[in-house]
Amino acid sequence: SSGINAEYRGLVVESYTKRRKELDRLCKPIIQPKYFVRMKAIHFPVFVEGRPLVSEDFDAATKSHDPTCTNNLIQLNHYKVKSMEEWIWRVEERGASAGPKWGDSLADFKRWDYNEFEDTEILKFLPQLKRRLKEQGVV
């Protein structure tokens, strides 16, 4: 939550810069639909024969949890927890942060609310992001 209690209206990447100390290097795929067949696991798609999962440098990858994956071209930050207000809304609206089957509570917010390390790595993409948002009339 980066210590934010009320929902913040700015860009998430600027506001929520704290995370747990241990970094989870999960490589999330960006899928080219014409080669996609099905999902083998939550972050591991299966493609048509001869089309492997690849890194941002187009090197073949064998797994989604890869400590060697890089984020030089693109970075996705997954925010399980944002503000307390946003968490309460998700749980009240959907029955949980990720849907009714999870049955999340305030205790889960506190369990996942890591603020151990200030991580500003994604901010290297901020100028380009703001430029593109402006070009599209979003901000």
Side-chain angles (χ1 to χ4, degrees), residues 124-138:
K124 68 184 178 186
F125 298 105
L126 195 57
Q128 183 179 2
L129 172 63
K130 285 185 173 184
R131 181 178 49 79
R132 290 195 177 206
L133 290 173
K134 188 174 182 178
E135 288 171 0
Q136 295 175 13
V138 177

Side-chain angles (χ1 to χ4, degrees), residues 28-137:
K28 294 186 177 190
I30 297 173
I31 297 170
Q32 190 170 23
K34 67 182 178 180
Y35 300 125
F36 174 74
V37 175
R38 64 181 171 81
M39 293 300 288
K40 180 177 180 179
I42 190 162
H43 295 295
F44 202 92
V46 174
F47 297 106
V48 296
E49 182 92 21
R51 298 285 181 173
L53 179 64
V54 295
S55 71
E56 67 179 2
D57 297 315
F58 296 97
D59 296 324
T62 58
K63 57 187 176 183
S64 58
H65 281 80
D66 183 352
T68 65
C69 67
T70 62
N71 64 335
N72 298 321
L73 302 176
I74 189 168
Q75 178 174 327
L76 293 171
N77 284 5
H78 182 269
Y79 299 91
K80 175 78 173 169
V81 171
K82 289 188 230 134
S83 70
M84 171 76 77
E85 180 180 88
E86 190 265 350
W87 178 270
I88 291 169
W89 174 83
R90 285 190 333 198
V91 170
E92 288 176 352
E93 185 73 18
R94 300 190 312 210
S97 67
K101 76 176 188 172
W102 296 101
D104 292 329
S105 68
L106 186 56
D108 293 311
F109 174 87
K110 292 176 180 176
R111 184 171 51 134
W112 290 316
D113 186 22
Y114 300 107
N115 292 300
E116 301 167 345
F117 182 79
E118 183 80 18
D119 185 349
T120 58
E121 180 71 15
I122 198 165
L123 298 181
K124 68 184 178 186
F125 298 105
L126 195 57
Q128 183 179 2
L129 172 63
K130 285 185 173 184
R131 181 178 49 79
R132 290 195 177 206
L133 290 173
K134 188 174 182 178
E135 288 171 0
Q136 295 175 13

